[in-house]
Amino acid sequence: MPPDSPQPFSDESVREGAAGSLDSVLAALDYLVLEAVEDASLRVRGAVPDWFESIYGGGIDVALAESPFLTCFVKEVARPLWKEAPTVPVRSGIWTEAVPDASGNELTELHLEAIAMHGANGAGLLVIQFMGRRFEEIQMLTQRANEKALEHRQLSREVQKKDVLLRCIVHDLNNPLGAVLLNLELLATSDDEQVKAAASLALEAARRQRSLIKSITEVFSSDLSRLSRNRGSAEVVGEFVRGGEYVVNMHLNQALRRSVSILLEDGLTGVVAGERKVIGELEPFVRAVENLVLNALRYAPRDSVVIVRLLALDEGMQVQVEDAGPGVEPELVGGLFDPFTQGTTNRGAMGLGLYFCRMTVEQWGGSIVYEQASGGGARFVFTLPWAGDASQHNYET
Amino acid sequence: MTKKLKKKLCLIGSFGVGKTILVSKYVKGIFSEKYLSTVGVMISQKTVEIGDCEVLLMVWDLAGEDDFQGLRLSFIKGASGVLFVADGTRAETLRLTQQHMERLGEFYSDIPTLLLLNKADLQDQWDIAEAHLDEVRGKVKVFRTSAKTGENVEEAFVRITEMMIAPDEPTTEAFL
């Protein structure tokens, strides 16, 4: 070997060098490594990190004497672990203790975590980490999570209170209305044509009021909470088709009175496997489609057609309700699905129908939009996701 | 002759029930409205004189957990007493505390315990039905506390310390 060649390291010197480097890295990362020795004491392995030196200058014996947590962890967790065959390390979890500062007067909080484990040679090791800024990060995240949970609970309570109040109001409104309706129905059978006509008008108004109360209850009561709880429920496609047919049939006469036709375009039957399921429930689905159909009938001109269209898309089942009316006024489109939004003409019940549709569809993970129909009328489109794996289409061939 | 003892006391309960502030009130006499979440465990100490005993009380304030699995049993090892803390304005924290009490009893059935129903100053927001409280009282002594007004705070800590050093309890250094 030439005299100026680098001297090869012995295996031992390589190991020592590596161990020395590792010790300095651990110390730089604020880890203190202690090893259990035969007389049951602990001795420091490698470099001592600055934080430990400044707080427990006297060494590990001082730390054990001053830290109740460390004392407990060593006695209750680490020593029993070291007596066992080498196994997975055990973390203490973070602890906080107040310790005197360098002057020995003011107490400052120290955040640490310890790990009890076995070394490569089977010796018991205790690694103590100074948490520093990491503690602040964990504390901040914990704090935010807890605060959000408390806020959520507070909001839930407010909603509950509102729900109880709403139920009370609805109850108090409905009770006298029942009596009013009963008596008006009696008066409407009167032989006196004038009384009969007046009673019929009043009866219609009272029924309309009952319908309004029902709408308010549907939109603002715990019904929506029920939907929220059942967001995973699903129905087969065929049920939704029958729901669409039901709505169309229910309103045929009403449409005829206005010289309007209602047409159901079923793009699902024969296209999608009958057992294919869609996220949603039949009853609220029917109410949502009915709201859209009633809306369309209100604006549809004489001799026009209201179309209820059911389609199968990759992302889910789509429902379109289209009329040939004037469409939605541009300034209303932005807040169309917000509560109490109404057009300036042909005003509906309370401006809650579309809001109900949106809440219903969104609770199931779907979406609803308004778009202008090709002839200038209104088209409301909502899509409900397929249940199960969206990548499996199961289209019939 | 004064007998010197060192005892470990753990506080257990949901987050936000006021464990840390109860400890702060008792140990330092300080109350703060600001909520600061505890991470892991925070240890404080206070010397209490009970009869002829001078007890160095090591108070382990455990981070609030909303399920028992999250509670580190290793933190409770060596404890001579446990204060369960629930928030009187949140009934669910009392129900959770009852679960904690039952599960803890499976592992540490001999440890003296008390239940603190905290935030007693917020009577207008009180959420605990008397029937629920009666059910709890059959299993553990209950103190209504308020870290804000100091109501029953000192009393509860002194009472649990007395229970921890009661004649029928071991008077050895239970902590170590």
Side-chain angles (χ1 to χ4, degrees):
Chain A
M1 181 182 293
D4 55 348
S5 298
Q7 293 294 308
F9 293 114
S10 68
D11 286 351
E12 196 175 338
S13 68
V14 169
R15 275 198 296 272
E16 281 175 4
S21 304
L22 185 61
D23 286 341
S24 57
V25 169
L26 287 170
L29 290 172
D30 285 333
Y31 285 96
L32 172 73
V33 183
L34 302 163
E35 185 177 20
V37 289
E38 284 177 0
D39 64 354
S41 62
L42 293 167
R43 71 176 172 86
V44 175
R45 263 185 57 166
V48 176
D50 292 343
W51 66 266
F52 188 80
E53 189 68 44
S54 63
I55 296 166
Y56 303 115
I60 186 60
D61 292 336
V62 174
L64 283 171
E66 291 186 3
S67 169
F69 186 94
L70 200 54
T71 309
C72 197
F73 185 71
V74 169
K75 177 179 181 282
E76 304 283 357
V77 179
R79 290 201 189 281
L81 180 89
W82 294 334
K83 284 179 187 162
E84 296 171 4
T87 179
V88 290
V90 176
R91 285 180 174 272
S92 69
I94 297 169
W95 82 89
T96 301
E97 284 175 329
V99 293
D101 64 5
S103 67
N105 297 320
E106 291 290 314
L107 290 175
T108 55
E109 285 186 347
L110 185 65
H111 312 290
L112 303 170
E113 183 171 32
I115 305 164
M117 59 190 292
H118 291 92
N121 58 357
L125 293 180
L126 182 69
V127 181
I128 306 172
Q129 187 189 9
F130 177 74
M131 299 304 292
R133 289 188 69 85
R134 198 163 155 249
F135 174 85
E136 289 167 23
E137 289 164 11
I138 295 170
Q139 204 280 331
M140 187 182 72
L141 288 173
T142 309
Q143 176 94 11
R144 280 190 189 167
N146 288 351
E147 282 174 352
K148 290 288 172 203
L150 290 172
E151 280 171 22
H152 178 265
R153 184 197 173 271
Q154 187 63 30
L155 284 173
S156 300
R157 284 190 82 173
E158 292 301 320
V159 169
Q160 263 182 340
K161 275 188 204 168
K162 190 208 76 177
D163 201 46
V164 169
L165 180 65
L166 182 71
R167 295 277 168 192
C168 292
I169 293 170
V170 166
H171 180 262
D172 287 351
L173 286 174
N174 260 334
N175 271 359
L177 193 57
V180 169
L181 278 165
L182 192 68
N183 286 295
L184 286 173
E185 279 164 5
L186 276 174
L187 284 173
T189 61
S190 168
D191 294 334
D192 185 328
E193 287 302 318
Q194 213 172 354
V195 171
K196 195 174 173 178
S200 295
L201 278 175
L203 196 56
E204 193 182 328
R207 281 178 181 149
R208 185 173 163 76
Q209 191 172 345
R210 187 172 59 179
S211 171
L212 288 183
I213 293 168
K214 186 166 172 268
S215 296
I216 294 169
T217 316
E218 281 175 348
V219 174
F220 290 107
S221 75
S222 56
D223 206 29
L224 292 176
S225 311
R226 186 178 63 79
L227 288 173
S228 175
R229 285 197 298 276
N230 292 323
R231 68 176 59 186
S233 58
E235 292 275 8
V236 292
V237 158
E239 283 297 302
F240 289 107
V241 173
R242 275 187 282 284
E245 288 169 350
Y246 170 80
V247 174
V248 169
N249 291 331
M250 272 293 288
H251 296 282
L252 277 177
N253 287 337
Q254 188 180 348
L256 279 173
R257 281 202 297 273
R258 296 169 187 236
S259 299
V260 174
S261 314
I262 311 182
L263 181 66
L264 178 72
E265 290 184 1
D266 177 7
L268 293 171
T269 308
V271 177
V272 181
E275 68 275 16
R276 191 82 200 270
K277 285 190 167 183
V278 176
I279 301 286
E281 284 179 285
L282 190 59
E283 193 190 323
F285 169 82
V286 165
R287 289 213 303 273
V289 176
E290 190 175 27
N291 279 339
L292 296 179
V293 167
L294 287 172
N295 214 34
L297 287 175
R298 204 153 43 236
Y299 291 97
R302 292 178 73 84
D303 302 322
S304 68
V305 182
V306 167
I307 301 169
V308 178
R309 197 174 286 125
L310 305 176
L311 298 168
L313 305 184
D314 282 352
E315 62 269 31
M317 178 186 77
Q318 188 169 87
V319 179
Q320 299 182 355
V321 177
E322 186 177 313
D323 65 62
V328 175
E329 298 153 67
E331 60 273 23
L332 290 180
V333 170
L336 197 55
F337 297 100
D338 294 341
F340 310 115
T341 300
Q342 297 198 71
T344 50
T345 58
N346 289 346
R347 292 162 71 88
M350 285 189 73
L352 293 173
L354 293 177
Y355 175 63
F356 176 82
C357 292
R358 192 193 97 201
M359 295 302 287
T360 304
V361 168
E362 287 183 355
Q363 293 284 355
W364 293 330
S367 60
I368 185 165
V369 293
Y370 163 78
E371 52 192 43
Q372 201 163 37
S374 52
R379 182 192 292 141
F380 289 89
V381 180
F382 72 83
T383 310
L384 299 178
W386 301 117
D389 184 358
S391 64
Q392 295 172 7
H393 298 302
N394 294 335
Y395 288 117
E396 284 183 350
T397 54
Chain B
M1 193 176 79
T2 304
K3 196 164 23 179
K4 291 193 175 184
L5 299 173
K6 197 190 273 187
K7 296 283 182 182
K8 173 177 173 180
L9 170 67
C10 289
L11 273 81
I12 297 173
S14 299
F15 67 87
V17 297
K19 297 181 296 296
T20 304
I21 202 68
L22 278 167
V23 174
S24 173
K25 183 73 178 175
Y26 177 61
V27 174
K28 304 176 200 161
I30 296 171
F31 170 80
S32 166
E33 294 275 6
K34 190 169 181 250
Y35 168 54
L36 199 63
S37 298
T38 304
V39 176
V41 58
M42 182 180 280
I43 299 168
S44 312
Q45 40 188 295
K46 176 164 176 153
T47 303
V48 192
E49 286 188 10
I50 307 281
D52 62 346
C53 286
E54 187 180 290
V55 184
L56 178 59
L57 203 57
M58 314 299 299
V59 184
W60 288 45
D61 168 19
L62 274 59
E65 295 287 352
D66 272 6
D67 69 284
F68 192 83
Q69 304 308 321
L71 190 65
R72 281 176 181 268
L73 282 173
S74 61
F75 283 170
I76 301 161
K77 276 186 179 176
S80 302
V82 171
L83 284 178
F84 291 102
V85 185
D87 179 346
T89 67
R90 286 190 289 152
E92 71 272 16
T93 63
L94 181 56
R95 284 190 286 275
L96 191 82
T97 300
Q98 286 175 280
Q99 289 172 24
H100 281 172
M101 286 164 61
E102 278 174 28
R103 296 293 306 279
L104 194 77
E106 292 171 16
F107 299 95
Y108 303 100
S109 57
D110 298 333
I111 300 179
T113 58
L114 288 180
L115 171 64
L116 311 191
L117 264 184
N118 197 31
K119 307 190 185 178
D121 54 292
L122 300 175
Q123 277 303 315
D124 57 329
Q125 296 171 40
W126 203 250
D127 193 29
I128 311 286
E130 271 306 307
H132 190 182
L133 204 50
D134 287 342
E135 178 194 326
V136 177
R137 282 196 189 106
K139 295 170 185 162
V140 66
K141 188 170 171 56
V142 181
F143 279 73
R144 283 184 194 235
T145 56
S146 165
K148 187 171 188 177
T149 64
E151 178 186 342
N152 277 336
V153 176
E154 176 92 17
E155 290 81 352
F157 276 91
V158 169
R159 182 71 194 105
I160 191 71
T161 310
E162 286 170 347
M163 291 164 75
M164 286 155 62
I165 61 163
D168 56 339
E169 294 290 328
T171 52
T172 52
E173 297 243 336
F175 176 66
L176 292 177

